[in-house]
Amino acid sequence: MSTRHKDSPETDPTLEADVFARDCASRPVLQNVASRWGVLALAALREGPYRFSALRRRVDGISERMLSQTLQALERDGMIHREVQHSIPPHVEYTLTDLGTRVADQLVGLIQILESNIDTIVAAQDAYRRD
């Protein structure tokens, strides 16, 4: 794996990725993936291909602009594939890449843990507020 070295704008293939290092190239990718909308977009796309408007409906609460920015960042990072279908009117479909699928699998696992433990989480939040 390669990272950016702070003394050079070039990518140095001899350096190992370390997300804890300030200049590591993996850190902004982690920020894109782990953002509120990145997590939800990747988890939704794990269900299968989506067109933009259907994905926006699936990820309730996201604005058109934010979904567009999120998808662009995830496409740039190699997590999703954007395909323009040449029809009238033209349609754009989004799917996960192999890397995106592996990342989404992990995110869905995290989501499932949170959803299945929501009673414990709410109880902890209530206890915290009382203290």
Side-chain angles (χ1 to χ4, degrees):
M1 249 189 232
S2 63
T3 61
R4 289 193 185 271
H5 189 274
K6 75 180 198 178
D7 296 330
S8 169
E10 299 298 315
T11 301
D12 184 348
T14 64
L15 298 176
E16 285 192 33
D18 179 3
V19 77
F20 294 101
R22 176 183 354 188
D23 296 322
C24 182
S26 66
R27 187 179 280 190
V29 177
L30 178 63
Q31 289 172 317
N32 292 334
V33 166
S35 71
R36 169 176 47 172
W37 303 121
V39 168
L40 295 175
L42 288 167
L45 286 168
R46 186 175 173 267
E47 299 166 357
Y50 272 96
R51 290 189 8 210
F52 185 89
S53 57
L55 185 57
R56 184 166 177 232
R57 285 190 300 274
R58 179 68 176 115
V59 182
D60 190 30
I62 192 170
S63 70
E64 189 172 311
R65 180 175 180 241
M66 186 52 65
L67 180 57
S68 179
Q69 289 175 348
T70 299
L71 292 172
Q72 287 174 359
L74 294 172
E75 181 182 12
R76 181 192 61 233
D77 293 339
M79 301 292 158
I80 65 170
H81 174 73
R82 178 182 183 270
E83 183 177 334
V84 178
Q85 298 173 347
H86 301 288
S87 59
I88 299 177
H91 298 292
V92 177
E93 187 173 84
Y94 296 90
T95 56
L96 293 174
T97 62
D98 290 341
L99 175 59
T101 299
R102 291 183 10 229
V103 171
D105 287 345
Q106 299 297 312
L107 294 172
V108 168
L110 174 62
I111 290 167
Q112 289 170 342
I113 290 169
L114 297 174
E115 288 177 340
S116 66
N117 288 283
I118 195 64
D119 292 341
T120 303
I121 293 166
V122 169
Q125 291 170 343
D126 289 344
Y128 182 83
R129 278 191 292 271
R130 284 192 303 270
D131 289 343

